[in-house]
């Protein structure tokens, strides 16, 4: 990829932080969005800045204005964007039965986990396409452009990775809004993959299983028990670093004839067994 600037939503905590650490190690400029204000995330930003260039933008993925401001700030600082990791997400505040779930919770979860990533991807994809067109019109002949693509060994104009969940496939009747949002994100991956393939922008999905972060802290005992009972073929909690390594694989440039694929990072939980 020619542009080594990555946007990572929710990149200061949990899975997103592990991804951020991986990306700065790999030489990416990093632009992170989260709802936390500056002083709360400052220690993490300081840590990341020891390895590379990092911008933090405080904003809410649900807001169109905040999404635009996030992209604008990224471009103002780094000039272009090559990678978007749609990681920010929330669980419902209350795990309510499907017959009791509130409309407020439905709206909040769907706006954060699906609508936000959808419309952020839309504006970032447009930007990636503009960058590719500008590169081409900046005096490059078709042959020179082809040579440049071969030289950087990719022909890739950008890349989008969506962090969905096993909940895209697995029913939990006490958090249906979360399952719906993640199923939507799976379809969103394939929609954008199909739309952007001709533009040299692959789109991938990663489906994490049970990962040890703040999100699962409140249900730790439940999952400890399930792991002990052998529910997960690889019998341990997933770590945020497992996801960071999956992102590293997808951005390696070694999957040049693939887009729209899903990588399960769930200890084999998705395997159906009799
Ligand atoms: N942990 C798991 O077991 C697991 C399993 C499957 C899928 N996932 C998915 O993986 C992703 C990361 O999960 P995690 O476990 O790392 O969660 P986490 O530790 O709770 O972190 C969530 C991140 O999302 C950001 N965020 C939340 N609401 C936001 C909003 N409205 N606008 C912008 N940023 C927002 C948070 O930033 P602030 O704190 O600054 O708001 C935080 O950085 C989520 O999409 C989650 O659904 C997690």
């Amino acid at each position: 990829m020619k542009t080594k600037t990555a946007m990572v939503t929710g990149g200061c905590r949990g899975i997103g932080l592990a991804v951020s650490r991986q990306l700065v190690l790999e030489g990416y400029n990093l632009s992170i969005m989260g709802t936390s204000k500056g002083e709360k995330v400052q220690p993490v930003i300081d840590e990341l800045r020891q390895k590379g260039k990092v911008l933090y933008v405080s904003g809410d993925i649900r807001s169109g204005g905040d999404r635009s401001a996030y992209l604008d700030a990224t471009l103002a600082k780094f000039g272009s964007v090559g990678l978007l990791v749609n990681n920010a997400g929330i669980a419902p505040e209350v795990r309510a039965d499907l017959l009791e779930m509130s409309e407020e919770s439905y709206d909040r979860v769907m706006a954060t986990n699906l609508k936000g990533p959808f419309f952020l991807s839309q504006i970032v994809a447009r930007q990636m396409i503009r960058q590719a067109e500008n590169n081409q019109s900046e005096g490059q002949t078709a042959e020179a452009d082809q040579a440049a693509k071969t030289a950087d060994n990719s022909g890739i104009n950008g890349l989008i990775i969506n962090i969905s969940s096993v909940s895209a496939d697995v029913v939990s009747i006490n958090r249906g809004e979360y399952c719906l949002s993640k199923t939507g994100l799976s379809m969103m991956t394939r929609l954008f993959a199909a739309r952007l393939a001709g533009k040299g922008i692959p789109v991938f999905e990663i489906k994490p299983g049970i990962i040890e972060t703040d999100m699962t802290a409140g249900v730790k005992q439940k999952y400890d028990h399930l792991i002990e009972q052998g529910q997960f073929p690889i019998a341990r909690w997933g770590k945020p670093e497992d996801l960071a390594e999956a992102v590293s694989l997808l951005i390696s440039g070694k999957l040049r004839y693939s887009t729209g694929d899903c990588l399960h990072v769930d200890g084999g939980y998705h395997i159906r067994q009799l």
Side-chain angles (χ1 to χ4, degrees):
M1 211 185 311
K2 289 174 201 162
T3 303
K4 283 198 96 171
T5 293
M7 296 170 73
V8 182
T9 63
C12 282
R13 261 194 315 127
I15 292 170
L17 175 55
V19 170
S20 293
R21 285 181 174 137
Q22 183 68 34
L23 291 175
V24 284
L25 268 185
E26 296 194 25
Y28 278 80
N29 300 323
L30 204 56
S31 174
I32 298 173
M33 181 208 225
T35 62
S36 301
K37 299 284 177 221
E39 59 281 7
K40 193 172 168 201
V41 291
Q42 200 56 49
V44 169
I45 301 297
D46 289 345
E47 177 217 304
L48 292 168
R49 280 193 178 140
Q50 288 178 7
K51 301 268 167 33
K53 291 186 184 150
V54 182
L55 170 71
Y56 179 76
V57 181
S58 176
D60 188 333
I61 191 81
R62 295 174 295 179
S63 149
D66 287 3
R67 291 189 296 267
S68 296
Y70 177 36
L71 177 59
D72 290 348
T74 304
L75 297 178
K77 171 106 178 146
F78 297 122
S80 59
V81 55
L83 171 65
L84 168 64
V85 183
N86 282 310
N87 162 77
I90 54 167
E93 274 171 4
V94 179
R95 288 189 170 206
D97 179 82
L98 209 57
L99 304 185
E100 308 298 333
M101 182 217 298
S102 70
E103 206 169 322
E104 289 72 25
S105 180
Y106 179 99
D107 286 344
R108 185 171 157 270
V109 171
M110 292 295 273
T112 309
N113 295 0
L114 184 57
K115 182 183 133 187
F118 182 94
F119 286 103
L120 181 61
S121 299
Q122 191 185 64
I123 58 173
V124 171
R126 283 190 206 135
Q127 171 61 27
M128 288 171 173
I129 292 167
R130 262 195 307 274
Q131 288 167 194
E133 289 169 352
N134 289 345
N135 282 344
Q136 205 158 24
S137 65
E138 270 167 18
Q140 285 187 340
T141 62
E143 292 92 313
D145 189 48
Q146 192 52 47
K149 282 179 175 173
T150 311
D152 93 339
N153 203 24
S154 70
I156 288 179
N157 294 319
L159 207 149
I160 299 175
I161 297 175
N162 298 320
I163 309 293
S164 67
S165 169
V166 288
S167 296
D169 302 319
V170 178
V171 164
S172 298
I173 55 171
N174 62 351
R175 50 193 178 111
E177 64 276 63
Y178 185 77
C179 299
L180 281 170
S181 69
K182 295 299 184 176
T183 297
L185 204 55
S186 278
M187 176 52 80
M188 185 188 123
T189 301
R190 284 171 283 143
L191 283 166
F192 275 95
R195 177 63 180 84
L196 299 176
K199 300 291 181 188
I201 305 172
V203 184
F204 295 114
E205 173 185 7
I206 298 177
K207 278 188 185 155
I210 307 306
I211 313 299
E212 208 163 10
T213 67
D214 294 346
M215 186 177 275
T216 47
V219 283
K220 185 161 184 331
Q221 277 188 333
K222 173 186 168 179
Y223 291 128
D224 281 345
H225 187 61
L226 291 177
I227 291 167
E228 269 168 34
Q229 302 231 303
Q231 189 94 1
F232 302 91
I234 300 175
R236 67 163 171 86
W237 278 84
K239 302 277 180 200
E241 292 71 26
D242 294 317
L243 278 303
E245 281 168 4
V247 168
S248 179
L249 182 73
L250 293 177
I251 63 174
S252 66
K254 303 220 166 172
L255 297 168
R256 287 191 284 159
Y257 197 48
S258 301
T259 189
D261 296 84
C262 168
L263 188 57
H264 299 268
V265 183
D266 63 356
Y269 182 61
H270 67 282
I271 303 166
R272 299 178 78 175
Q273 302 188 48
L274 264 180

